[in-house]
Protein backbone atom coordinates (compact mmCIF):
# COMPACT_ATOMS: atom_id res chain seq x y z
CA UNK A 1 0.00 0.00 0.00
CA UNK A 2 1.38 3.42 -0.96
CA UNK A 3 2.03 6.10 1.64
CA UNK A 4 -0.81 8.21 0.18
CA UNK A 5 -3.29 5.34 0.57
CA UNK A 6 -2.18 4.77 4.16
CA UNK A 7 -2.75 8.45 4.93
CA UNK A 8 -6.21 8.31 3.33
CA UNK A 9 -7.11 5.16 5.27
CA UNK A 10 -6.02 6.67 8.58
CA UNK A 11 -8.04 9.78 7.77
CA UNK A 12 -11.18 7.72 7.11
CA UNK A 13 -10.72 5.78 10.35
CA UNK A 14 -10.35 9.01 12.31
CA UNK A 15 -13.41 10.57 10.66
CA UNK A 16 -15.42 7.43 11.34
CA UNK A 17 -14.53 7.58 15.04
CA UNK A 18 -15.73 11.19 15.21
CA UNK A 19 -19.03 10.36 13.55
CA UNK A 20 -19.58 7.31 15.73
CA UNK A 21 -19.21 9.40 18.88
CA UNK A 22 -18.18 8.36 22.35
CA UNK A 23 -20.28 5.24 22.67
CA UNK A 24 -20.78 2.05 20.73
CA UNK A 25 -23.13 1.62 17.80
CA UNK A 26 -25.65 -0.41 19.79
CA UNK A 27 -25.39 1.55 23.03
CA UNK A 28 -28.65 3.04 24.27
CA UNK A 29 -29.13 6.42 25.95
CA UNK A 30 -32.05 6.78 28.35
CA UNK A 31 -33.03 10.18 29.78
CA UNK A 32 -35.20 10.40 32.89
CA UNK A 33 -36.21 13.04 35.43
CA UNK A 34 -35.37 12.51 39.09
CA UNK A 35 -38.22 10.91 41.02
CA UNK A 36 -39.60 8.97 38.06
CA UNK A 37 -39.48 5.25 37.29
CA UNK A 38 -37.30 4.01 34.45
CA UNK A 39 -37.15 0.97 32.17
CA UNK A 40 -33.70 -0.02 30.84
CA UNK A 41 -33.84 -2.36 27.82
CA UNK A 42 -31.70 -5.47 27.48
CA UNK A 43 -31.12 -5.88 23.76
CA UNK A 44 -29.21 -9.16 23.94
CA UNK A 45 -31.66 -11.10 26.13
CA UNK A 46 -32.05 -14.84 25.54
CA UNK A 47 -35.33 -16.71 25.88
CA UNK A 48 -34.80 -17.25 29.61
CA UNK A 49 -33.90 -14.40 31.98
CA UNK A 50 -32.08 -16.84 34.27
CA UNK A 51 -29.11 -16.22 31.98
CA UNK A 52 -29.29 -12.44 32.48
CA UNK A 53 -26.87 -10.40 34.59
CA UNK A 54 -27.03 -6.62 35.05
CA UNK A 55 -23.89 -4.71 36.13
CA UNK A 56 -23.60 -1.02 36.98
CA UNK A 57 -20.88 1.55 37.43
CA UNK A 58 -21.12 5.31 37.86
CA UNK A 59 -17.58 6.25 36.93
CA UNK A 60 -15.28 4.96 34.23
CA UNK A 61 -12.62 3.79 36.69
CA UNK A 62 -14.97 2.47 39.38
CA UNK A 63 -15.56 -1.22 39.98
CA UNK A 64 -18.77 -2.61 38.50
CA UNK A 65 -21.57 -3.55 40.92
CA UNK A 66 -23.68 -6.59 40.12
CA UNK A 67 -27.36 -5.71 40.49
CA UNK A 68 -28.91 -8.82 38.94
CA UNK A 69 -27.07 -12.14 38.82
CA UNK A 70 -28.47 -14.85 36.52
CA UNK A 71 -31.98 -13.46 36.93
CA UNK A 72 -31.78 -13.03 40.72
CA UNK A 73 -31.77 -9.60 42.36
CA UNK A 74 -28.80 -8.98 44.63
CA UNK A 75 -29.74 -8.00 48.17
CA UNK A 76 -26.52 -6.22 49.14
CA UNK A 77 -26.91 -3.20 46.84
CA UNK A 78 -28.15 0.24 47.90
CA UNK A 79 -30.86 0.25 45.24
CA UNK A 80 -32.06 -3.31 45.99
CA UNK A 81 -35.59 -2.32 47.06
CA UNK A 82 -36.13 -0.21 43.93
CA UNK A 83 -35.01 -2.81 41.38
CA UNK A 84 -36.97 -5.42 39.47
CA UNK A 85 -36.42 -7.54 36.39
CA UNK A 86 -38.97 -7.29 33.59
CA UNK A 87 -40.37 -10.26 31.70
CA UNK A 88 -38.18 -9.21 28.75
CA UNK A 89 -35.11 -9.14 31.05
CA UNK A 90 -35.16 -5.33 31.17
CA UNK A 91 -34.07 -3.58 34.37
CA UNK A 92 -36.75 -1.51 36.12
CA UNK A 93 -35.73 1.12 38.69
CA UNK A 94 -38.26 3.01 40.83
CA UNK A 95 -37.92 6.60 42.09
CA UNK A 96 -34.77 7.51 40.20
CA UNK A 97 -32.34 9.78 42.06
CA UNK A 98 -29.22 11.65 40.98
CA UNK A 99 -27.24 8.75 42.45
CA UNK A 100 -28.56 6.36 39.78
CA UNK A 101 -26.97 7.86 36.68
CA UNK A 102 -24.27 5.82 35.01
CA UNK A 103 -23.54 2.84 32.80
CA UNK A 104 -25.73 -0.29 32.99
CA UNK A 105 -24.60 -3.45 31.20
CA UNK A 106 -26.80 -6.44 30.43
CA UNK A 107 -24.89 -9.71 29.85
CA UNK A 108 -25.97 -13.24 29.09
CA UNK A 109 -24.31 -16.34 30.56
CA UNK A 110 -24.79 -20.02 29.80
CA UNK A 111 -22.75 -22.62 31.69
CA UNK A 112 -20.60 -19.83 33.16
CA UNK A 113 -19.66 -18.57 29.69
CA UNK A 114 -20.72 -15.18 28.37
CA UNK A 115 -22.96 -15.35 25.33
CA UNK A 116 -22.75 -12.63 22.68
CA UNK A 117 -21.78 -9.03 23.34
CA UNK A 118 -22.75 -6.58 26.07
CA UNK A 119 -25.95 -4.57 25.84
CA UNK A 120 -25.05 -1.21 27.37
CA UNK A 121 -27.45 1.51 28.53
CA UNK A 122 -26.31 4.96 29.60
CA UNK A 123 -28.76 6.45 32.09
CA UNK A 124 -28.90 10.27 32.23
CA UNK A 125 -30.81 11.90 35.10
CA UNK A 126 -32.20 15.45 34.87
CA UNK A 127 -32.64 17.30 38.16
CA UNK A 128 -33.69 20.83 39.17
CA UNK A 129 -33.06 22.54 42.50
CA UNK A 130 -33.69 26.05 43.86
CA UNK A 131 -31.54 28.53 45.74
CA UNK A 132 -34.55 29.40 47.95
CA UNK A 133 -36.83 27.32 50.13
CA UNK A 134 -39.15 30.25 50.94
CA UNK A 135 -40.46 32.53 48.23
CA UNK A 136 -42.08 35.96 48.04
CA UNK A 137 -42.50 38.77 45.52
CA UNK A 138 -39.32 40.78 45.04
CA UNK A 139 -37.07 37.86 45.97
CA UNK A 140 -34.29 36.86 43.59
CA UNK A 141 -34.39 33.14 42.86
CA UNK A 142 -31.95 30.90 40.99
CA UNK A 143 -32.99 27.55 39.59
CA UNK A 144 -30.25 25.05 38.83
CA UNK A 145 -30.83 22.42 36.16
CA UNK A 146 -28.27 19.65 35.83
CA UNK A 147 -27.98 16.58 33.64
CA UNK A 148 -26.15 13.83 35.51
CA UNK A 149 -24.44 11.69 32.90
CA UNK A 150 -21.72 9.11 32.42
CA UNK A 151 -20.27 7.87 29.18
CA UNK A 152 -16.64 7.60 30.21
CA UNK A 153 -15.89 11.01 28.69
CA UNK A 154 -16.38 14.66 29.59
CA UNK A 155 -19.74 16.38 29.40
CA UNK A 156 -18.41 18.46 26.49
CA UNK A 157 -17.75 15.33 24.44
CA UNK A 158 -21.14 13.89 25.34
CA UNK A 159 -22.97 17.02 24.24
CA UNK A 160 -21.08 17.19 20.95
CA UNK A 161 -21.36 13.51 20.05
CA UNK A 162 -25.04 13.08 21.04
CA UNK A 163 -26.10 16.65 20.17
CA UNK A 164 -27.56 17.22 23.63
CA UNK A 165 -28.95 20.61 24.68
CA UNK A 166 -30.33 21.99 27.94
CA UNK A 167 -32.67 24.96 28.02
CA UNK A 168 -35.41 26.62 30.06
CA UNK A 169 -38.97 27.21 28.83
CA UNK A 170 -41.90 29.02 30.44
CA UNK A 171 -45.30 27.44 31.13
CA UNK A 172 -46.42 28.41 27.62
CA UNK A 173 -43.62 26.27 26.22
CA UNK A 174 -41.63 29.27 24.94
CA UNK A 175 -37.87 28.93 25.18
CA UNK A 176 -36.31 31.52 27.49
CA UNK A 177 -33.34 33.35 26.01
CA UNK A 178 -30.59 35.60 27.27
CA UNK A 179 -32.26 38.52 25.48
CA UNK A 180 -35.27 38.38 27.83
CA UNK A 181 -34.80 41.21 30.35
CA UNK A 182 -36.71 39.34 33.08
CA UNK A 183 -34.45 36.34 33.12
CA UNK A 184 -30.79 35.58 33.28
CA UNK A 185 -29.90 32.30 31.61
CA UNK A 186 -26.46 31.31 32.77
CA UNK A 187 -24.22 28.49 31.63
CA UNK A 188 -21.50 27.23 33.92
CA UNK A 189 -18.10 25.83 33.02
CA UNK A 190 -19.91 22.48 32.97
CA UNK A 191 -22.17 22.43 29.86
CA UNK A 192 -24.43 19.88 31.59
CA UNK A 193 -25.60 22.61 33.99
CA UNK A 194 -27.82 25.59 33.09
CA UNK A 195 -29.25 28.08 35.58
CA UNK A 196 -32.21 30.44 35.49
CA UNK A 197 -32.21 33.57 37.64
CA UNK A 198 -35.21 35.87 38.04
CA UNK A 199 -36.83 38.23 40.52
CA UNK A 200 -40.28 36.98 41.48
CA UNK A 201 -43.34 39.11 40.82
CA UNK A 202 -46.81 38.91 42.40
CA UNK A 203 -48.16 37.37 39.20
CA UNK A 204 -45.59 34.55 39.48
CA UNK A 205 -47.80 32.84 42.07
CA UNK A 206 -48.34 29.31 40.74
CA UNK A 207 -46.18 30.04 37.67
CA UNK A 208 -44.10 27.20 36.24
CA UNK A 209 -40.69 27.04 34.61
CA UNK A 210 -39.44 23.92 32.90
CA UNK A 211 -35.96 22.66 32.12
CA UNK A 212 -35.80 20.42 29.07
CA UNK A 213 -33.10 18.21 27.62
CA UNK A 214 -33.03 17.39 23.92
CA UNK A 215 -31.01 14.84 21.99
CA UNK A 216 -30.68 15.45 18.26
CA UNK A 217 -33.44 18.10 18.51
CA UNK A 218 -35.93 15.73 20.19
CA UNK A 219 -37.14 16.40 23.75
CA UNK A 220 -36.11 13.46 25.93
CA UNK A 221 -37.30 14.54 29.36
CA UNK A 222 -38.05 17.65 31.41
CA UNK A 223 -38.44 18.84 34.98
CA UNK A 224 -41.00 21.47 36.00
CA UNK A 225 -40.48 23.83 38.92
CA UNK A 226 -43.30 26.00 40.17
CA UNK A 227 -43.83 28.58 42.89
CA UNK A 228 -46.79 29.69 44.97
CA UNK A 229 -49.68 27.28 45.50
CA UNK A 230 -47.73 24.48 43.85
CA UNK A 231 -44.51 25.24 45.72
CA UNK A 232 -45.20 22.39 48.11
CA UNK A 233 -44.74 19.88 45.33
CA UNK A 234 -41.94 21.87 43.67
CA UNK A 235 -40.74 19.36 41.12
CA UNK A 236 -43.11 17.44 38.93
Amino acid sequence: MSDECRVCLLGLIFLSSLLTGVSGVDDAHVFISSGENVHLPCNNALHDCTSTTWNYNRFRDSAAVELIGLGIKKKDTESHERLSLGSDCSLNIKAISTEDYGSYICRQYLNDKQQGTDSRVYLHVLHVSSSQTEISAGLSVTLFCQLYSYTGVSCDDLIRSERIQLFWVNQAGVKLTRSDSRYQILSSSDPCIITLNTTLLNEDDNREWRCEVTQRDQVKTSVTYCFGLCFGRGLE
Side-chain angles (χ1 to χ4, degrees):
M1 182 182 293
S2 67
D3 290 341
E4 289 184 355
C5 289
R6 288 192 180 92
V7 171
C8 290
L9 179 60
L10 290 173
L12 288 173
I13 292 173
F14 178 69
L15 179 60
S16 176
S17 66
L18 290 178
L19 294 176
T20 300
V22 298
S23 53
V25 175
D26 297 325
D27 293 346
H29 291 266
V30 174
F31 297 81
I32 195 73
S33 301
S34 57
E36 295 185 348
N37 303 331
V38 72
H39 171 93
L40 304 183
C42 179
N43 295 326
N44 63 2
L46 301 179
H47 66 281
D48 188 346
C49 291
T50 58
S51 61
T52 297
T53 293
W54 276 96
N55 293 325
Y56 163 77
N57 65 320
R58 186 179 303 163
F59 308 108
R60 179 174 55 185
D61 299 325
S62 62
V65 176
E66 189 174 80
L67 303 176
I68 305 288
L70 300 179
I72 300 175
K73 183 169 61 173
K74 298 296 181 178
K75 295 183 178 180
D76 56 350
T77 61
E78 294 180 3
S79 56
H80 164 259
E81 296 296 335
R82 298 185 291 117
L83 300 179
S84 64
L85 196 63
S87 59
D88 57 354
C89 307
S90 59
L91 182 65
N92 301 314
I93 310 175
K94 294 181 179 180
I96 285 292
S97 76
T98 55
E99 300 296 314
D100 293 317
Y101 76 93
S103 171
Y104 292 78
I105 297 177
C106 186
R107 288 176 179 164
Q108 305 300 317
Y109 290 92
L110 287 178
N111 300 321
D112 296 327
K113 293 183 179 180
Q114 183 175 346
Q115 305 295 305
T117 57
D118 290 343
S119 174
R120 186 187 299 269
V121 182
Y122 292 113
L123 180 62
H124 311 275
V125 180
L126 189 68
H127 180 73
V128 169
S129 59
S130 172
S131 62
Q132 302 289 341
T133 56
E134 297 182 4
I135 55 96
S136 61
L139 185 68
S140 177
V141 173
T142 301
L143 299 179
F144 305 91
C145 180
Q146 181 170 358
L147 183 67
Y148 292 81
S149 296
Y150 163 83
T151 57
V153 296
S154 68
C155 185
D156 289 302
D157 290 334
L158 169 67
I159 284 180
R160 282 195 298 268
S161 64
E162 295 299 320
R163 289 170 50 196
I164 291 173
Q165 289 183 303
L166 289 172
F167 51 87
W168 286 96
V169 300
N170 61 24
Q171 61 187 22
V174 177
K175 182 178 178 180
L176 301 180
T177 66
R178 289 178 171 84
S179 61
D180 192 320
S181 59
R182 257 215 72 187
Y183 305 102
Q184 287 181 303
I185 308 296
L186 306 173
S187 298
S188 71
S189 57
D190 185 340
C192 283
I193 301 175
I194 186 171
T195 62
L196 167 65
N197 179 266
T198 188
T199 298
L200 296 178
L201 305 176
N202 287 326
E203 55 264 34
D204 287 332
D205 185 50
N206 210 31
R207 188 184 298 275
E208 298 180 348
W209 289 273
R210 186 168 71 251
C211 181
E212 293 184 346
V213 57
T214 63
Q215 181 190 30
R216 306 184 190 280
D217 299 323
Q218 292 187 342
V219 177
K220 291 299 180 179
T221 191
S222 64
V223 178
T224 299
Y225 204 101
C226 58
F227 295 101
L229 296 177
C230 58
F231 184 76
R233 52 189 167 96
L235 301 179
E236 293 187 341

